[in-house]
Amino acid sequence: MKVLVIGGGAREHALCRSLSQDPAVSELHCAPGNAGIAQAATVHPVDQLDGAAVAALAQRLAADLVVVGPEAPLVAGVADAVRAAGIPVFGPSGRAALLEGSKAFAKDVMAGAGVPTARAYVCTTPAEAAEALDAFGAPYVVKDDGLAAGKGVVVTSDRDAALAHAAACDQVVIEEYLDGPEVSLFAITDGETVLPLVPAQDFKRALDGDEGPNTGGMGAYSPLPWAPEGLVQEVLDTVLQPTVDELRRRGTPFSGLLYAGLALTSRGTRVIEFNARFGDPETQVVLARLETPLAGVLLAAAQGTLDTLEPLRWHDGAAVTVVLASEGYPADPRTGDVIEGLAEADAADGTVFVLHAGTRADEEGRVLTAGGRVLSVTAVGTDLAEARTRAYAGVSRIAFKGAQHRTDIARGAAGQ
Ligand code: AMP
């Protein structure tokens, strides 16, 4: 099977790593990729938002499967362009990807499907926003309706700050505050059959103890020893399957990766948000635990044959990933610094591996920082404590100017 992956972050590096380990994959390509992906796949400098260019590349490569990683190309309809060229694609249509691309659309789908979520108002004027804020009271939750790379949400008890965020966006969703721990649950679907993966938890804020601003994600771990028994089945029955059924009913069937961000509140499980693609950094730990070769699963989703697949197999044990970000991230990341210690951080036995996000190689073959999130140091172990210790040992071997990371990823869950 020839596979083309679209994207260039640590999520796509994780996808490429798993695909490269699948004996069914004979050729692996990625566009645009990054310095780390270039070691596992042939990279192509193609604009990932340009559906025609991506479809042309897939045709030129005679790809058997295209896997679209990030949300922006999905919302831009890149999967539609590839599908129209007759090539199987893992990823929803642009219309179905609105589940992530518009929080108002997601709320409407959830209402139609009877999926439990925060009560919410869609607001376009300052007066509407003020009214909605006062209806719920503090803490206030204000979400930009459109895509914002995980940075469009403001949770604050400062009413003026909440109003200011609403004013800075065209349309916002203002909703009730959900307390309780958060869980990310991914499911692979072909539009009918829904195959849940293992739950993970990510750390969205910069700085230890969640003291910093929201980011794309600073680390993740799986499994969740504290999660209630039966959680996956409950979310499959009350969230994932009804949502997939509702989208099919509306004539916008969703195939690809459905990501439910959940809050386990005192009043029950609630959806915080849906994403239309693998989450970053949770993918790094979920795929590290997946034993079933990945390509066949993604192809079955693309071809509508998930119901014929054997149940997924998972490795025993745990996985932890720690994100190394550049100085100034998320507000104003600095780039162009040389990264040292990459080879030293990888363990020869594969228990620790460095996934690249914002990196590029220069003419001399050095690897430089090229984005806010730079690396995702991932480790597996017999339990979370071992995986965590290994991940941080990997982190300690890497250096670049201004590097920052959280030191408390999975600490509580690992009992450390
Ligand atoms: P989202 O982009 O919707 O996942 O929001 C980013 C983060 O904001 C979530 O992971 C939560 O930590 C927080 N958040 C979003 N919605 C709510 C809510 N209704 N109540 C409390 N926290 C929320």
Side-chain angles (χ1 to χ4, degrees):
M1 200 191 299
K2 295 183 190 173
V3 185
L4 169 62
V5 175
I6 303 303
R11 160 187 49 217
E12 287 75 27
H13 195 181
L15 286 163
C16 284
R17 180 176 182 275
S18 291
L19 289 165
S20 71
Q21 292 173 347
D22 182 340
V25 175
S26 55
E27 267 183 42
L28 186 59
H29 299 268
C30 185
N34 59 37
I37 293 173
Q39 292 167 16
T42 307
V43 296
H44 303 268
V46 165
D47 176 3
Q48 55 178 318
L49 296 179
D50 183 342
V54 170
L57 174 66
Q59 280 179 314
R60 186 163 62 73
L61 297 171
D64 300 296
L65 174 67
V66 175
V67 180
V68 184
E71 59 275 24
L74 290 167
V75 172
V78 167
D80 305 74
V82 175
R83 222 173 259 124
I87 298 170
V89 55
F90 183 83
S93 68
R95 283 178 66 205
L98 271 187
L99 196 62
E100 170 163 8
S102 165
K103 298 210 183 261
F105 176 72
K107 285 288 181 193
D108 193 52
V109 170
M110 283 189 266
V115 167
T117 183
R119 287 179 297 126
Y121 295 105
V122 179
C123 307
T124 47
T125 67
E128 283 170 7
E131 201 179 321
L133 293 175
D134 295 337
F136 293 128
Y140 305 107
V141 181
V142 183
K143 301 184 172 186
D144 191 342
D145 183 38
L147 282 186
K151 289 162 238 165
V153 177
V154 167
V155 181
T156 176
S157 289
D158 178 343
R159 191 172 176 278
D160 290 337
L163 277 173
H165 184 56
C169 308
D170 285 342
Q171 176 163 289
V172 290
V173 171
I174 292 181
E175 64 181 34
E176 89 188 283
Y177 178 80
L178 300 173
D179 61 353
E182 291 180 28
V183 172
S184 301
L185 184 62
F186 300 169
I188 290 177
T189 176
D190 56 10
E192 286 193 35
T193 303
V194 181
L195 221 58
L197 307 186
V198 290
Q201 188 176 50
D202 76 336
F203 292 73
K204 287 219 168 61
R205 288 176 179 268
L207 307 181
D208 286 2
D210 291 339
E211 300 278 337
N214 252 326
T215 70
M218 296 300 290
Y221 68 94
S222 178
L224 314 180
W226 49 267
E229 188 102 6
L231 177 69
V232 172
Q233 189 65 44
E234 179 208 329
V235 176
L236 176 62
D237 294 341
T238 63
V239 173
L240 299 168
Q241 190 71 55
T243 299
V244 166
D245 292 343
E246 172 71 12
L247 284 162
R248 193 175 62 248
R249 201 181 57 74
R250 290 178 179 224
T252 47
F254 184 103
S255 75
L257 194 290
L258 177 59
Y259 164 138
L262 306 158
L264 309 190
T265 77
S266 48
R267 293 185 296 130
T269 304
R270 298 279 186 277
V271 174
I272 295 179
E273 65 159 352
F274 282 126
N275 291 327
R277 36 77 195 182
F278 280 101
D280 186 348
E282 298 97 316
T283 301
Q284 287 86 302
V285 291
V286 170
L287 291 185
R289 296 187 57 210
L290 180 66
E291 193 182 336
T292 305
L294 183 62
V297 182
L298 302 184
L299 184 66
Q303 294 185 320
T305 56
L306 273 183
D307 59 336
T308 64
L309 219 62
E310 303 268 307
L312 296 177
R313 295 188 310 278
W314 299 93
H315 292 294
D316 292 336
V320 172
T321 195
V322 178
V323 170
L324 283 173
S326 49
E327 185 178 320
Y329 179 74
D332 184 20
R334 126 189 199 118
T335 58
D337 294 306
V338 176
I339 306 171
E340 314 272 8
L342 286 168
E344 293 77 3
D346 273 329
D349 61 2
T351 53
V352 186
F353 48 94
V354 180
L355 299 168
H356 291 222
T359 68
R360 67 178 177 86
D362 70 4
E363 307 72 39
E364 296 154 51
R366 298 179 306 179
V367 178
L368 308 182
T369 63
R373 290 190 294 172
V374 177
L375 302 166
S376 202
V377 181
T378 310
V380 294
T382 52
D383 55 18
L384 283 172
E386 188 177 46
R388 180 171 189 273
T389 302
R390 285 176 174 161
Y392 278 107
V395 167
S396 72
R397 300 202 170 93
I398 297 173
F400 57 88
K401 195 157 184 287
Q404 53 159 324
H405 67 271
R406 284 182 61 152
T407 67
D408 61 351
I409 304 300
R411 185 164 62 200
Q416 288 178 321

